[in-house]
Amino acid sequence: MTRVAVITGGTRGIGAEVSKGLHKAGYKVVANYHRNVEGAERFRDETGIPVESWNVADYDACDESVLRIADKYGPVDILINNAGITRDVVLHRMPKEAWHDVIETNLTSCYNMCRTVIPGMRERGFGRIVNIGSINGQAGQVGQCNYAAAKAGMLGFTKALALESAPKGITVNAICPGYVDTEMVQAVPEKVREVIRSRIPVGRFGDPREIAHAVLFLIADDAMFCTGATLAINGGQYMS
């Protein structure tokens, strides 16, 4: 049986490489996107991976989309919570919208998506959930109280859900990437990029395919003994 995997934010950056990696490995992948229709359609045409649009910060949209995916492709056995945004500004200048937007998209989305797939996973006795966090949820970062709080919250969420789900054959793990060479990092001014790179012991930015490799390990059928774990992939920049 080919397992169905949903990747939120699955058409760009790390999410796109995760989608492609799972597709290549034989999983039936559905990549979520929200607003970038042109980019999503281009990704679909280039990879052959189906794309579906919904807002992960909206519970009803998540619920309806998971039901739609189950009807079209089969029940969701694998969920990768990767969607995320940034609204960087120091706290004493941060408008409430910047706080709420990031918390809802980056953290509440984990509840929204997991809540919709968990009942089916429990009934079938199998599930794999991987939450994509961030080095900045572990170490903090200036101007990212909202983002760091959301990503740190994701780690606690991962551990609690792992404890609840282990007896039902469901694993829940987190990956915390460091600075990975995606469009977001490429948009940073070169002088700033050099400063960041100088702080990474391996001397380079990560490759998004390295994150995809880790996801493939965590979702494997025979990876049942790994749950509640946080895998840091950051080139040695932050060790906990």
Side-chain angles (χ1 to χ4, degrees):
M1 178 183 67
T2 302
R3 299 199 182 279
V4 176
V6 171
I7 295 89
T8 68
T11 64
R12 300 177 64 185
I14 289 174
E17 289 303 328
V18 171
S19 295
K20 289 188 286 187
L22 271 59
H23 178 68
K24 184 177 180 180
Y27 293 94
K28 191 180 295 184
V29 174
V30 180
N32 152 266
Y33 73 99
H34 186 201
R35 293 192 176 93
N36 188 358
V37 177
E38 182 179 347
E41 291 179 346
R42 183 168 58 250
F43 174 83
R44 178 199 60 202
D45 294 342
E46 291 174 352
T47 64
I49 297 171
V51 297
E52 296 280 347
S53 176
W54 72 90
N55 179 6
V56 294
D58 182 331
Y59 177 83
D60 290 337
C62 293
D63 191 39
E64 293 167 4
S65 297
V66 168
L67 290 173
R68 183 173 67 250
I69 288 167
D71 286 341
K72 292 173 70 173
Y73 307 104
V76 177
D77 282 324
I78 298 163
L79 170 64
I80 315 299
N81 283 310
N82 168 75
I85 62 172
T86 57
R87 297 285 185 270
D88 294 355
V89 59
V90 289
L91 187 66
H92 63 277
R93 296 175 182 166
M94 183 180 292
K96 62 181 180 180
E97 293 80 11
W99 173 267
H100 287 291
D101 288 351
V102 170
I103 295 297
E104 293 299 308
T105 301
N106 296 19
L107 180 57
T108 303
S109 63
C110 287
Y111 164 79
N112 293 343
M113 289 302 302
C114 289
R115 180 63 182 83
T116 63
V117 302
I118 277 288
M121 290 180 175
R122 291 174 66 89
E123 289 175 8
R124 294 186 299 274
F126 180 90
R128 297 287 183 266
I129 297 172
V130 180
N131 298 319
I132 306 299
S134 168
I135 185 175
N136 292 343
Q138 297 176 301
Q141 181 59 272
V142 173
Q144 288 197 332
C145 285
N146 48 5
Y147 184 83
K151 293 300 186 179
M154 184 184 282
L155 302 185
F157 178 95
T158 296
K159 294 174 184 178
L161 186 57
L163 288 170
E164 294 176 5
S165 305
K168 295 295 185 178
I170 303 164
T171 67
V172 188
N173 293 287
I175 294 174
C176 284
Y179 287 88
V180 176
D181 197 15
T182 61
E183 292 178 10
M184 184 182 297
V185 171
Q186 291 166 6
V188 174
E190 183 57 32
K191 288 184 178 180
V192 178
R193 283 165 54 87
E194 283 301 318
V195 171
I196 295 171
R197 189 183 292 110
S198 71
R199 295 173 179 170
I200 302 173
V202 301
R204 64 174 176 84
F205 296 118
D207 186 317
R209 291 173 295 184
E210 293 173 307
I211 312 303
H213 292 323
V215 172
L216 280 167
F217 162 69
L218 292 172
I219 68 172
D221 279 14
D222 57 2
M224 184 62 212
F225 207 56
C226 185
T227 193
T230 298
L231 182 58
I233 306 177
N234 58 40
Q237 186 176 0
Y238 179 79
M239 302 181 190
S240 60

